[in-house]
Amino acid sequence: MKVSRDQITGAVIVTLGIFVFAMISTFKVPFTASYPGPKALPGLAAVGFVICGAGIFLEGCKNKDQKTFLIKEGWIKLIINIAAIALYILAMQFIGFFISTPIYLYCLSTWYAKGYVTKPVSRIIFSAAMTLVIFLAYQVAFGYQLPMGIFG
């Protein structure tokens, strides 16, 4: 039996959703309608991961005509992505959200823009705008404090 890329991807996403459920179940803050607490957003994401991952997995079961998944170059890109996320998380703890996020988003959009002609100015605007949107969502809408690093 040949396992398709969609089956692997779907299974990983479902596993990630279950992992998030397990992690938020350790939170001691009660989940109420008046104050959903820190469980609400990760719990919603976990439900989405499980549902979407199951859908991707089932689509992979139907469609068997797929190319080979993650050849050597694909594994290298995957490792670089994971390392970039880990570096971003560490940077956010030390230099804060407002410095690390635009830099991370700029680097990420530059790396994924390969093959497309984009101006650095448009990537800078994108990075700054997304940083502002993320800040507004977390700080203002949800009331969560973002890491300020050495400046906080």
Side-chain angles (χ1 to χ4, degrees):
M1 177 178 175
K2 184 178 176 184
V3 179
S4 72
R5 174 187 62 183
D6 286 345
Q7 289 172 315
I8 293 171
T9 303
V12 168
I13 293 172
V14 167
T15 304
L16 179 63
I18 293 169
F19 176 74
V20 170
F21 271 126
M23 294 305 294
I24 65 172
S25 68
T26 63
F27 291 175
K28 302 296 181 209
V29 179
F31 184 88
T32 63
S34 62
Y35 177 68
K39 291 182 180 183
L41 193 59
L44 184 61
V47 169
F49 284 173
V50 170
I51 291 170
C52 293
I56 292 169
F57 182 83
L58 293 174
E59 278 296 313
C61 291
K62 292 190 320 188
N63 185 8
K64 292 292 184 179
D65 300 329
Q66 293 185 8
K67 294 188 262 183
T68 305
F69 181 55
L70 286 184
I71 55 177
K72 182 180 177 183
E73 292 81 16
W75 283 107
I76 291 170
K77 281 185 175 184
L78 179 65
I79 291 168
I80 290 171
N81 270 320
I82 292 170
I85 292 169
L87 184 63
Y88 167 63
I89 292 169
L90 286 174
M92 209 174 0
Q93 298 303 315
F94 292 107
I95 61 175
F97 172 81
F98 286 109
I99 295 173
S100 61
T101 301
I103 293 170
Y104 173 71
L105 290 173
Y106 180 82
C107 293
L108 195 67
S109 63
T110 301
W111 192 42
Y112 281 111
K114 292 186 177 182
Y116 296 100
V117 178
T118 59
K119 295 179 182 177
V121 173
S122 63
R123 290 194 304 271
I124 291 170
I125 292 170
F126 163 77
S127 301
M130 285 307 300
T131 300
L132 181 63
V133 167
I134 293 167
F135 170 76
L136 291 174
Y138 277 87
Q139 194 81 21
V140 177
F142 300 128
Y144 295 137
Q145 183 69 28
L146 293 168
M148 299 311 282
I150 58 175
F151 305 105

